[in-house]
Amino acid sequence: MSKKYVYMFSEGNASMKSLLGGKGANLAEMTMLGLPIPQGFTISTEACTEYNEGGKKLTEEMIAQIEVALSKLEEIAGKKLGDPQNPLLVSVRSGARASMPGMMDTVLNLGLNDVSVEGLAKKTGNPRFAYDSYRRFIMMFADVVIGVSKSKFERKLDEYKDEVGAKFDTDLTAEDLKKVTAMFKQIYLEDQGKEFPQDPKEQLFEAAMAVFRSWDNPRAFVYRRMNDIPYSWGTAVNVQMMVFGNMGDTSGTGVAFTRNAATGEKAMLGEYLVNAQGEDVVAGVRTPNPIAKLAEDMPAVYEQFIEISNTLENHYKDMQDMEFTVEEGKLYFLQTRNGKRTANAALRIAVEMVDEGLITKEEALMKVEPKQLDQILHPAFDPKALKAATPLGKGLPASPGAAAGKVCFTAEDAKEQAEGGDRVILVRLETSPEDIEGMAAAQGILTVRGGMTSHAAVVARGMGTCCVSGCEEIKMNEAAKTFTLGGKTFKEGDFISLDGSTGNIYGEDIPTVDPEISGNFAKFMAWADERRSLKVRTNADTPHDAQIAIDFGAEGIGLTRTEHMFFEGDRIMKFRKMILADTVAERVEALKGIEPFQKEDFKGIYKAMQERPVTIRLLDPPLHEFMPNTDEEFDILAKETGKTVEELKVKARGLHELNPMMGHRGCRLAVSYPEIAEMQTRAIMEAAVEVSNELNINIKPEIMIPLIGEIKELKYVKNIVVETAEKVMADAGKKLEYLVGTMIEIPRAALTADEIATEAEFFSFGTNDLTQMTYGLSRDDAGKILADYIDRNIYECDPTARLDRTGVGMLMKWAVEKALPVRPDIHLGICGEHGGDPSSVEFCHLIGLDYVSCSPFRVPIARLAAAQAQINFPRETRKH
Ligand code: ADP
Ligand code: MG
Ligand code: MG
């Protein structure tokens, strides 16, 4: 045998996730723990990759191994697939390495056909159950494997239920279901032009291939992109013996979390339905019972369920999300995985599990996804406005947070209107995986059906989006795009507000405020700080931003942009005068008007940061951003300068550039107009001297020269900076330490880093420009192009959001390795957008940077990502 593609559950374990997928590996682990698991086998992710890359066919080798595994399973089960008297039925379930809820479709009851359904009815003495299973199978197989829309079947079923006056599926009799089955087969025949496949092996192979193909479907791509899951992982296929929750009132099915996934409270959260099959609970077809009710309905089963839940949580040392089915009073577990949770729940669970002695601090740090912390920095309702508002209705508090926006009824509308800049709330009967992009675009999600574990709830929690589910008071008219709640009718575009923590729904636009940070958060972040070796700074241009960042744990400023300082009030006029001046004297005069403001701005920032390091970048943007645009602006400028509008326009035209981002910006401005660099340096140093004296501390400014590509260029500007700085200090009679460094954002600077390091006392990787220039992809126009590239799977993720380690990263690594021998004590950091992206933070840790710098709200994310990087890849902190 060349390669093993198929594993019995008894052959695997939890550590084999990359090969068996999460579901398969955990089914194997639970089998090993001796838990009641319907047995089966797993076809590996490697088979998926080979299938999708190799002409979409199962190889003979794979088929042979599946056949062997199937006979082993038949032996264990004591029944055979397709046996007319006593048929073995199986489910075919997908399962990737990372859990992708609802993204991949499952087929249940496979193995039924016109003959075996009768055998099953006789064998169980339960024809209702047999036909209920068969009609479900036809629908799922047609939908998942062949792609015949589920709604065709559902509509038929609803019609039939109306016809016979049945409210729920459970009201249908065996005869009813037999008729429904025949109708379903007819739908299949009409759609496909051939009969529903009767050969169970054909059913099995077709279903397995469909699972492999589902890795390639558009919603799987969307989910992977949102969660940084690489295409190359593939999904495994699990073939598992069926157990039946739809055999009557001593049967049922449910899902449960060992702790509350919304709040983190140590209390079981679960739901189940009597006489139902798997999908029913999750799909929100009927609203399920809380798990506590199981204790009344089936006390012995409940007790065993709690016991196994505890075993699983202790075994995995994490909150578990479990699926179970009760078949005629016997309990089976069908799945367990580490449960998705809100950020607040994640923090609470991590902290409490350390307190309980279940895990170490280090293990706790690995349990929270850095990106998730973003959620707790989300807004909540303004308490006063909330008090004044009266809820119109209430649903389940499925995913916390506060959201207000305009009502939208379809995912497409939500997406479109959000792209147009509107805040929207997606209101649906229930959501399905196709809605994922609309859900991601919405501020909040409201569903009429479905419980705490419905698709909407699970996906919303994962995304950190506010969700209220199961509000059955809502009368929905999807076709007319209206709904009624609390006596009020809402149409598309009307404002509503949702409170995901209480489930309250309001018929108005309630203002939101920034969130509070809870005790668990602070405690947890302190553990992260103990662990990490990478420092975290922030990008802040104002004292206000700087203060927010300090509250979030920033240790300094990695980037202060000075350009906005030229736009406020009438500063821009002065700057325009400077640009359009004809002589140096005129320019110097114009800059004098700006200098005092600039100095005040810097003083404000120093005061907020105290002795923490502050990197200030000299003026960077291209000149055209400062040009007068309107005739009115030219008029004012003409009056102020005594020149004619025509003269000014000629001058402005002369400065026009075809490609400003590659034009007259960054240090190039300082080369052409040294007065700017001089003025800025003076403001930086005088502010530092004054604040140092006022507060009796030592400010150590870091002056950063942008857009260097050539050592002589750096030298030229640095000379201006140093001369000016020395003069300021001589005049003030005060000596301060200060650094002059550069951004590494032009590939040539990275390539010649050994030369650059002879002059630069620090490097800050400007990965926004470095990415733009390495890819030759304009940041301003990249959106559309990248969307196409990502759709076509040419780029797996957006390199402007997540650092490209292979290309851009190589330039960074090269620059670090070249610079260190020349200047061993050089400071190394990053100040591009990537500084707050966990994967990029890890890369910065790996190549030995001293710090990352990111926007204030991402500082906690970077702190945790840095701690995780240190846990995964320990390194020493550099000493200077
Ligand atoms: P998902 O990944 O979307 O949760 P699953 O493969 O877990 O899909 O299955 C969907 C539903 O079908 C779940 O509720 C599961 O418990 C149920 N199910 C899957 N396999 C079986 C089986 N062998 N017997 C009974 N129910 C099953
Ligand atoms: Mg599942
Ligand atoms: Mg730049």
Side-chain angles (χ1 to χ4, degrees):
M1 205 178 277
S2 53
K3 186 177 202 169
K4 190 164 166 69
Y5 292 107
V6 182
Y7 295 77
M8 302 304 291
F9 288 173
S10 53
E11 290 178 301
N13 61 57
S15 72
M16 293 165 74
K17 286 201 173 72
S18 49
L19 195 61
L20 304 180
K23 199 178 286 172
N26 285 336
L27 283 166
E29 184 84 3
M30 288 192 288
T31 298
M32 199 178 72
L33 292 174
L35 302 182
I37 308 300
Q39 285 302 293
F41 55 87
T42 305
I43 312 171
S44 75
T45 55
E46 289 176 354
C48 175
T49 305
E50 285 182 33
Y51 174 87
N52 280 321
E53 281 170 1
K56 313 246 163 188
K57 275 222 283 282
L58 294 178
T59 63
E60 272 173 37
E61 186 60 50
M62 293 176 199
I63 291 176
Q65 291 189 32
I66 294 171
E67 304 249 14
V68 171
L70 180 63
S71 12
K72 283 188 194 156
L73 179 59
E74 287 173 336
E75 207 165 293
I76 297 171
K79 347 182 187 187
K80 280 190 160 14
L81 193 73
D83 186 310
Q85 266 89 48
N86 187 18
L88 169 69
L89 303 190
V90 295
S91 62
V92 174
R93 321 172 64 186
S94 65
R97 204 188 298 188
S99 84
M100 295 174 59
M103 287 299 112
M104 303 284 173
D105 298 305
T106 294
V107 178
L108 300 179
N109 308 331
L110 187 141
L112 282 173
N113 57 26
D114 294 349
V115 181
S116 62
V117 69
E118 280 298 323
L120 184 65
K122 267 202 207 92
K123 177 85 191 169
T124 57
N126 191 344
R128 185 195 179 280
F129 151 72
Y131 279 95
D132 186 47
S133 303
Y134 196 20
R135 62 100 187 170
R136 288 170 189 269
F137 171 51
I138 296 169
M139 181 173 90
M140 278 185 263
F141 188 88
D143 174 43
V144 176
V145 180
I146 312 293
V148 186
S149 164
K150 225 178 179 169
S151 59
K152 282 194 182 178
F153 297 93
E154 278 167 349
R155 223 176 301 131
K156 195 92 207 163
L157 180 65
D158 285 340
E159 274 170 33
Y160 185 79
K161 277 187 349 202
D162 283 346
E163 210 178 299
V164 298
K167 184 153 180 251
F168 294 116
D169 299 359
T170 38
D171 299 333
L172 296 173
T173 64
E175 269 316 300
D176 289 332
L177 288 165
K178 198 166 177 174
K179 281 187 199 147
V180 171
T181 302
M183 290 174 200
F184 278 14
K185 279 174 56 193
Q186 189 59 30
I187 296 176
Y188 188 95
L189 177 65
E190 276 163 21
D191 196 283
Q192 290 296 300
K194 59 179 184 208
E195 292 287 345
F196 185 77
Q198 295 290 312
D199 174 7
K201 280 222 178 119
E202 182 192 335
Q203 294 170 354
L204 178 62
F205 290 128
E206 286 299 327
M209 288 190 287
V211 170
F212 286 159
R213 284 196 302 272
S214 74
W215 188 251
D216 259 342
N217 79 26
R219 49 186 220 233
F221 273 92
V222 172
Y223 188 90
R224 281 198 294 271
R225 208 178 308 144
M226 279 176 10
N227 293 280
D228 290 338
I229 298 172
Y231 176 79
S232 62
W233 281 6
T235 180
V237 177
N238 300 291
V239 177
Q240 185 176 25
M241 189 179 136
M242 283 302 302
V243 288
F244 300 100
N246 55 339
M247 286 190 81
D249 290 344
T250 56
S251 301
T253 182
V255 295
F257 295 86
T258 54
R259 301 187 187 214
N260 188 311
T263 64
E265 190 195 348
K266 191 174 181 194
M268 175 83 64
L269 177 79
E271 291 169 323
Y272 80 104
L273 278 173
V274 168
N275 199 11
Q277 202 166 44
E279 300 286 67
D280 300 353
V281 180
V282 198
V285 178
R286 276 189 273 152
T287 301
N289 300 318
I291 191 84
K293 180 117 195 321
L294 187 65
E296 293 167 29
D297 293 347
M298 304 177 212
V301 169
Y302 181 74
E303 203 173 295
Q304 190 192 3
F305 174 75
I306 295 294
E307 196 188 305
I308 295 179
S309 302
N310 289 338
T311 305
L312 286 173
E313 187 179 279
N314 289 333
H315 182 75
Y316 285 99
K317 297 184 175 188
D318 204 342
M319 185 262 270
Q320 294 299 293
D321 167 2
M322 306 159 298
E323 292 172 4
F324 64 95
T325 284
V326 182
E327 177 183 305
E328 300 197 307
K330 179 158 173 30
L331 174 68
Y332 294 93
F333 271 66
L334 285 159
Q335 189 174 337
T336 196
R337 64 181 170 213
N338 295 340
K340 293 210 182 298
R341 61 203 80 175
T342 64
N344 270 322
L347 289 169
R348 178 163 173 185
I349 290 170
V351 168
E352 289 187 358
M353 282 187 166
V354 171
D355 294 344
E356 289 161 25
L358 190 59
I359 57 174
T360 64
K361 284 184 195 170
E362 206 160 271
E363 286 170 324
L365 286 172
M366 297 309 293
K367 283 203 190 303
V368 180
E369 272 235 35
K371 254 185 162 175
Q372 250 204 321
L373 292 178
D374 196 33
Q375 281 177 25
I376 41 179
L377 311 167
H378 277 332
F381 286 126
D382 170 44
K384 268 209 211 106
L386 188 65
K387 249 200 182 142
T390 328
L392 280 184
K394 200 176 165 99
L396 299 169
S399 178
K406 294 179 178 172
V407 170
C408 272
F409 289 89
T410 68
E412 293 80 68
D413 291 346
K415 193 177 162 221
E416 208 181 293
Q417 294 184 23
E419 276 167 4
D422 276 340
R423 290 173 290 132
V424 302
I425 305 280
L426 180 62
V427 183
R428 306 278 291 149
L429 268 180
E430 66 212 8
T431 65
S432 70
E434 291 95 296
D435 294 336
I436 190 130
E437 282 183 291
M439 295 173 73
Q443 308 288 313
I445 299 154
L446 171 62
T447 71
V448 181
R449 298 189 203 140
M452 292 288 286
T453 50
S454 65
H455 175 264
V458 171
V459 172
R461 281 199 292 271
M463 297 194 300
T465 302
C466 162
C467 175
V468 173
S469 68
C471 179
E472 302 202 8
E473 304 159 47
I474 291 179
K475 298 246 171 334
M476 181 82 153
N477 188 338
E478 277 187 312
K481 294 198 173 174
T482 62
F483 74 85
T484 313
L485 177 66
K488 214 179 144 193
T489 300
F490 293 84
K491 51 182 196 322
E492 196 174 34
D494 290 345
F495 271 101
I496 60 167
S497 296
L498 303 178
D499 186 336
S501 311
T502 59
N504 283 338
I505 303 156
Y506 303 85
E508 64 204 270
D509 186 11
I510 304 177
T512 54
V513 291
D514 287 346
E516 250 177 73
I517 287 159
S518 78
N520 286 331
F521 182 65
K523 196 165 173 185
F524 183 84
M525 291 312 297
W527 295 344
D529 293 342
E530 272 166 28
R531 206 70 186 84
R532 68 192 159 88
S533 70
L534 197 61
K535 293 212 176 332
V536 178
R537 296 195 191 182
T538 191
N539 299 350
D541 305 345
T542 62
H544 174 76
D545 286 358
Q547 191 54 52
I548 295 178
I550 291 172
D551 293 344
F552 284 146
E555 298 165 281
I557 289 182
L559 174 64
T560 294
R561 301 177 188 87
T562 50
E563 36 271 25
H564 86 276
M565 299 178 179
F566 290 89
F567 284 104
E568 264 171 45
D570 63 349
R571 301 181 195 181
I572 183 70
M573 269 305 153
K574 301 197 164 83
F575 196 69
R576 282 174 183 154
K577 267 197 219 164
M578 197 283 309
I579 303 170
L580 297 174
D582 292 312
T583 64
V584 174
E586 257 182 78
R587 271 203 300 273
V588 170
E589 192 52 35
L591 281 169
K592 267 195 194 142
I594 301 172
E595 191 170 331
F597 295 108
Q598 186 122 97
K599 189 163 124 188
E600 279 312 305
D601 289 335
F602 293 141
K603 284 179 75 173
I605 288 175
Y606 291 143
K607 283 180 184 164
M609 297 307 289
Q610 302 279 319
E611 282 188 322
R612 297 179 186 88
V614 174
T615 304
I616 297 171
R617 178 176 73 185
L618 299 185
L619 192 63
D620 184 40
L623 280 184
H624 80 109
E625 292 193 11
F626 300 102
M627 287 296 172
N629 290 312
T630 61
D631 284 344
E632 201 194 334
E633 285 172 354
F634 272 108
D635 278 343
I636 300 175
L637 202 61
K639 273 194 207 99
E640 293 233 347
T641 56
K643 295 180 186 176
T644 67
V645 167
E646 206 30 54
E647 277 171 337
L648 290 171
K649 284 193 171 167
V650 168
K651 183 90 192 179
R653 269 198 294 277
L655 292 170
H656 175 78
E657 293 174 315
L658 284 180
N659 192 346
M661 288 308 277
M662 304 264 247
H664 213 173
R665 54 176 288 221
C667 63
R668 296 163 194 171
L669 289 174
V671 170
S672 304
Y673 311 110
E675 309 80 50
I676 303 178
E678 244 178 72
M679 181 279 277
Q680 290 200 291
T681 307
R682 228 174 9 247
I684 292 169
M685 294 308 292
E686 283 179 7
V689 168
E690 287 174 25
V691 175
S692 295
N693 287 339
E694 277 170 39
L695 303 185
N696 197 19
I697 56 178
N698 274 315
I699 308 277
K700 184 177 169 189
E702 300 176 359
I703 301 173
M704 180 152 81
I705 301 167
L707 218 76
I708 288 291
E710 154 66 43
I711 177 65
K712 287 194 195 133
E713 193 180 29
L714 174 59
K715 247 190 205 155
Y716 182 86
V717 182
K718 186 182 167 188
N719 278 341
I720 300 168
V721 169
V722 171
E723 264 175 36
T724 312
E726 295 298 331
K727 179 157 189 312
V728 168
M729 292 190 295
D731 289 351
K734 174 145 186 130
K735 197 94 190 104
L736 285 179
E737 272 187 80
Y738 67 102
L739 298 176
V740 184
T742 184
M743 293 184 74
I744 302 289
E745 52 187 338
I746 289 185
R748 193 177 188 283
L751 293 169
T752 60
D754 48 350
E755 289 182 3
I756 306 280
T758 59
E759 291 291 333
E761 291 167 299
F762 63 86
F763 282 178
S764 177
F765 290 96
T767 50
N768 296 346
D769 269 306
L770 190 60
T771 300
Q772 160 168 279
M773 294 196 218
T774 303
Y775 275 80
L777 188 64
S778 157
R779 262 193 281 162
D780 303 308
D781 304 316
K784 170 81 189 67
I785 303 169
L786 281 176
D788 287 346
Y789 272 59
I790 288 170
D791 278 350
R792 288 161 182 70
N793 213 16
I794 296 172
Y795 294 163
E796 249 185 78
C797 52
D798 175 354
T800 67
R802 182 179 178 176
L803 189 77
D804 157 49
R805 296 187 182 198
T806 335
V808 179
M810 264 321 108
L811 283 172
M812 293 169 67
K813 192 160 178 274
W814 171 271
V816 169
E817 282 167 7
K818 284 284 196 179
L820 280 177
V822 178
R823 188 185 289 271
D825 64 350
I826 191 167
H827 288 231
L828 300 166
I830 177 178
C831 64
E833 280 308 296
H834 303 95
D837 166 68
S839 150
S840 312
V841 170
E842 183 184 88
F843 184 74
C844 293
H845 170 94
L846 289 172
I847 62 169
L849 300 195
D850 296 296
Y851 69 87
V852 296
S853 186
C854 57
S855 65
F857 282 92
R858 297 218 280 177
V859 164
I861 299 175
R863 285 158 72 197
L864 178 55
Q868 293 187 347
Q870 176 69 14
I871 292 169
N872 287 330
F873 308 99
R875 68 164 212 195
E876 281 180 22
T877 307
R878 286 184 61 219
K879 301 218 170 41
H880 295 287

